Amino acid sequence: MRLRGRGVVVGGELMPWYFDLEESGGKLLGELRVEGWEPAGVMNAWYESAKRRKIDVVLQGAGKAVLKAGGIRIHESGHHNETSISVKGSLLSA
């Protein structure tokens, strides 16, 4: 089942991040993505602090999950900034 949406609660704070995850048997695989200079900066900092740990999150409209960050892709130009992070984990509740 595909889980797509916007809004990821991390550490009690709602982040304007998009999620695009494939769920199968309770396992999740996909990416988190955000656009804009300030939101991308926040996501980049989150990645640096979370890249070796499992993090509890709430995916708006999809429920609680535990995610572990994989690789990061950053696109910066004079007019646009976008970050995406590959994640894997598990869905805890819907």
Side-chain angles (χ1 to χ4, degrees):
M1 170 176 59
R2 192 80 177 242
L3 301 175
R4 286 182 162 173
R6 182 174 187 209
V8 179
V9 178
V10 178
E13 186 174 351
L14 178 61
M15 303 296 185
W17 302 346
Y18 294 93
F19 56 91
D20 186 0
L21 305 165
E22 187 65 37
E23 185 272 332
S24 178
K27 302 291 183 193
L28 297 172
L29 184 61
E31 74 173 10
L32 304 177
R33 182 180 54 81
V34 71
E35 295 180 357
W37 289 101
E38 187 175 329
V42 171
M43 181 180 266
N44 296 350
W46 176 81
Y47 172 79
E48 289 302 322
S49 70
K51 64 183 173 183
R52 291 184 173 84
R53 302 182 296 126
K54 293 180 180 178
I55 306 292
D56 292 331
V57 300
V58 177
L59 306 169
Q60 295 291 283
K64 295 179 183 179
V66 174
L67 298 178
K68 186 172 182 181
I72 187 170
R73 184 185 66 79
I74 299 170
H75 171 80
E76 294 179 344
S77 72
H79 299 93
H80 181 75
N81 190 19
E82 179 181 323
T83 294
S84 63
I85 298 173
S86 62
V87 294
K88 63 181 176 179
S90 58
L91 195 58
L92 300 177
S93 68

